[in-house]
Amino acid sequence: MTGGLAAAVDLGVFSFLITLEEVPLAMAAVLSFLTATVVNYLLSARFAFGAAISLRGYLRFLAAASLGLAINVGTTVLANRLGAALLLAKLLGIAVAFVINFAINLTLVFPGAEFLRKR
């Protein structure tokens, strides 16, 4: 659910930014992803993993999300160049990055967090 809300933020900010002609596609994808990362950290730390929210935790989360960012933007741009509509390309980028980001969060950012004990 936290990932879904962050994805909605990502897609919403992206949709807005691509309407601005002076914002290039890749920059819109990066800015929307970074905005969603803040939302995702706050929701994930609190509700998914039961971890304390801190600047240090967010910076660790952001560092781990860097790989997801590259995959998200790369997938978005590649899918668009292969003929996918902009929003479909962005949805593909979100989906691929979601899987990788969740695995990183589970194993590296929030190891041993509440999420593991609840399941």
Side-chain angles (χ1 to χ4, degrees):
M1 198 162 164
T2 60
L5 289 172
V9 168
D10 195 347
L11 193 58
V13 172
F14 179 78
S15 296
F16 169 73
L17 291 174
I18 61 172
T19 65
L20 306 174
E21 293 180 13
E22 63 274 1
V23 179
L25 174 63
M27 183 181 291
V30 169
L31 292 173
S32 67
F33 182 83
L34 290 174
T35 303
T37 300
V38 172
V39 172
N40 198 9
Y41 171 71
L42 294 173
L43 294 175
S44 293
R46 176 70 174 99
F47 297 110
F49 296 100
I53 295 170
S54 68
L55 178 59
R56 184 177 187 166
Y58 173 70
L59 294 176
R60 191 172 55 229
F61 184 88
L62 185 59
S66 295
L67 178 59
L69 171 61
I71 290 168
N72 184 311
V73 174
T75 301
T76 300
V77 172
L78 179 63
N80 180 249
R81 288 189 179 156
L82 292 175
L86 288 175
L87 292 181
L88 176 59
K90 183 58 178 172
L91 284 171
L92 290 170
I94 291 169
V96 172
F98 169 78
V99 172
I100 291 168
N101 281 340
F102 183 78
I104 291 170
N105 288 334
L106 190 60
T107 59
L108 300 175
V109 177
F110 302 111
E114 284 294 316
F115 180 84
L116 298 173
R117 289 192 286 274
K118 289 180 182 176
R119 304 306 181 264

